[in-house]
Structures are given as C-alpha cells and as structure tokens.
Amino acid sequence: FQAIDNHLKLNGKRHPIAYLLEAADDIAYSAADIEDGVKIGNISFDLIKDVFERNLNKFDNEEAKLLSLLDLYYEEYRQLPQDRLNLTVQRFRISAQGFMIGAIVKEFINNYDDIMEGNYKYELLMKSKAQNTRKAFRDLSFYVFKNKGIVETEIAGWEILNGLLDSFIQAAKSPDFKANGNNKESRLYNLISSSYRHIFENFNTYTGNDQYKRFQLVLDFISGMTDTYALNLYQKLKGIKI
C-alpha cells in the first residue's frame, strides 16, 4: 500500500477514481436489490411507490419526473398482468440508474479540485442530486433482506462457511497438512483443488510462517468455491450426504 501511495503521490488520500468506483458499485447493487425483491414476491408496486414518494421531493423537477415514470411504466404494462411489475421495475431501474449516474458526474465535476487534491470527504452519490433516490433504494432493500427465505439462506451460508473453515483450518494447523500421508489432515489437504495445491507447492515464495501459508491456501480454496460446491462439500464432510 505504501509503495502504491508513494508512486501515485496520494499522500495517504483516496485516488480520484475511487470515488467513481464507489458510486458505480452503489448504483449497481442498490438498483439490483429491488429486482430481487420483486422476484421473491415481497415487494409490491404500492410499496415501491410509497417508499419513493416518501424519499423523493415532488417539488423538484428531476425527482418528480422519476416518480412519474414509475406510474407511466406500470400503466404501460397493464395488459401483461403476470410480468407487469417485473417489467415496470426493470425499466424504472434503468431510468433511476441513469439519473444517479448523471448526478454523480455533476458532483464530480463541481468538486473536481477538492477531489483531485484529496480534500473531498464525502461519498459522491450521497452528496449528489440523487441522494434521495439512493435512500429510497436503500429503504426498499431492507424489505428484501428481511425476507424469511433470504435470512434462512444467509444463516445457512454462515454455517457452511464456518463449518468448512473449522475443518480445514484445524487441519492446516498441523504439519501433516500435506499430500503424502495417511491421516485426516493429509486427506483434507488432498481434497483441495489441484490447481490451488500446485501454486502452493511450487510458487509460494513467502518465507514467513509456514502455518500462515497453509491458512492462505485454505482461504483461497474456500473463497473460490461456488455456492453449490461449498454446500455439497460441507454436507459430505459432516456426514449429512455421502
């Protein structure tokens, strides 16, 4: 970090591009949450409209236009009852994202000197004209995250990750965590994907604590798993599924 900071002459301050990346990330994910809520069935049109009306200023031309688009799109898809809400939300998301993108661009330009000098202390999106839109999406996301099915899946995910980490980290504490052996630690080592093991065995140039390197191998392996692979491996290791 210090080498990068020195090379870019940042003096411990954020790179200007970081502000844009942060805003882009917020725009992408905040808008995606509303579509997820529609798919799982716990967000209705009335709820979406109510949340946006509570957050947006009806007397502001741009925000009032965004609100009107929500009604317009919903009316246009009246003849498609099954897909009406989904199509409405998709089009509204695109419009809202366009509004937020334009707002952060203006905020960046208006505060260019402070940003370039590292003196801008805010998030672009939350100081921009689109801050109320971002707040509306945030409030809607709470309804999505409180969905019972999502909560159950999150808790299951925690159990799976903790279970895998517990098994492999305990094994990695032992010097027997290697390819050749006939014990549990060795067997767990050989369960790790060959590509990860190949890099660990042949390209690991870190000369510090050997146990640290084994921990890093475990973390690389688990963080690279798909959801399905992690679930299946966890169930097999715990004897839930053979």
Side-chain angles (χ1 to χ4, degrees):
F1 173 84
Q2 193 62 54
I4 293 171
D5 186 72
N6 291 338
H7 180 76
L8 297 176
K9 299 178 175 59
L10 295 175
N11 297 316
K13 298 177 179 179
R14 303 180 73 192
H15 192 287
I17 295 298
Y19 293 99
L20 295 173
L21 289 173
E22 179 182 63
D25 192 59
D26 282 348
I27 290 172
Y29 282 102
S30 64
D33 289 335
I34 188 175
E35 289 190 353
D36 291 339
V38 170
K39 289 176 182 177
I40 61 178
N42 71 324
I43 288 185
S44 65
F45 176 78
D46 289 339
L47 175 61
I48 296 170
K49 185 174 180 179
D50 177 62
V51 170
F52 272 89
E53 285 182 340
R54 280 191 276 113
N55 281 278
L56 270 58
N57 182 1
K58 297 179 182 178
F59 300 102
D60 179 272
N61 289 336
E62 291 179 282
E63 294 186 8
K65 180 181 179 181
L66 198 58
L67 283 172
S68 68
L69 287 177
L70 186 59
D71 286 321
L72 176 65
Y73 296 149
Y74 197 61
E75 180 62 28
E76 285 184 3
Y77 293 115
R78 174 186 290 275
Q79 304 304 320
L80 299 169
Q82 289 186 322
D83 298 317
R84 186 182 187 186
L85 183 56
N86 188 42
L87 291 170
T88 299
V89 166
Q90 286 182 27
R91 287 188 65 186
F92 181 71
R93 172 184 59 78
I94 293 171
S95 298
Q97 285 181 320
F99 173 57
M100 289 190 283
I101 291 169
I104 66 163
V105 170
K106 290 179 182 178
E107 181 69 12
F108 189 93
I109 292 172
N110 291 340
N111 295 277
Y112 181 81
D113 290 338
D114 280 344
I115 291 172
M116 297 305 291
E117 292 169 7
N119 297 323
Y120 188 81
K121 306 298 182 183
Y122 313 100
E123 294 181 28
L124 279 177
L125 189 55
M126 294 310 295
K127 288 293 288 184
S128 75
K129 186 69 181 295
Q131 59 178 284
N132 290 336
T133 303
R134 174 67 183 95
K135 290 176 183 176
F137 277 116
R138 180 199 60 196
D139 290 352
L140 275 174
S141 71
F142 294 148
Y143 290 94
V144 179
F145 298 146
K146 289 189 293 185
N147 176 264
K148 182 179 179 181
I150 289 179
V151 172
E152 289 173 346
T153 301
E154 286 181 339
I155 293 174
W158 292 334
E159 291 296 324
I160 292 167
L161 289 175
N162 283 325
L164 291 173
L165 284 168
D166 184 59
S167 295
F168 281 95
I169 290 295
Q170 289 300 321
K173 291 179 180 179
S174 169
D176 293 326
F177 190 65
K178 54 188 178 182
N180 299 320
N182 194 30
N183 48 44
K184 181 179 180 181
E185 290 80 9
S186 178
R187 287 184 169 88
L188 283 168
Y189 177 85
N190 286 306
L191 283 178
I192 294 176
S193 301
S194 59
S195 57
Y196 289 104
R197 287 189 281 113
H198 178 73
I199 293 172
F200 171 74
E201 294 167 1
N202 297 282
F203 298 99
N204 197 325
T205 58
Y206 177 66
T207 58
N209 190 313
D210 286 339
Q211 189 176 89
Y212 174 86
K213 291 190 288 187
R214 297 195 294 271
F215 287 171
Q216 189 63 61
L217 170 64
V218 168
L219 293 178
D220 287 344
F221 175 49
I222 293 177
S223 63
M225 293 179 181
T226 63
D227 294 347
T228 301
Y229 183 87
L231 172 61
N232 288 334
L233 182 59
Y234 170 78
Q235 290 178 329
K236 289 178 180 177
L237 293 180
K238 296 300 181 181
I240 300 171
K241 181 170 67 176
I242 304 297

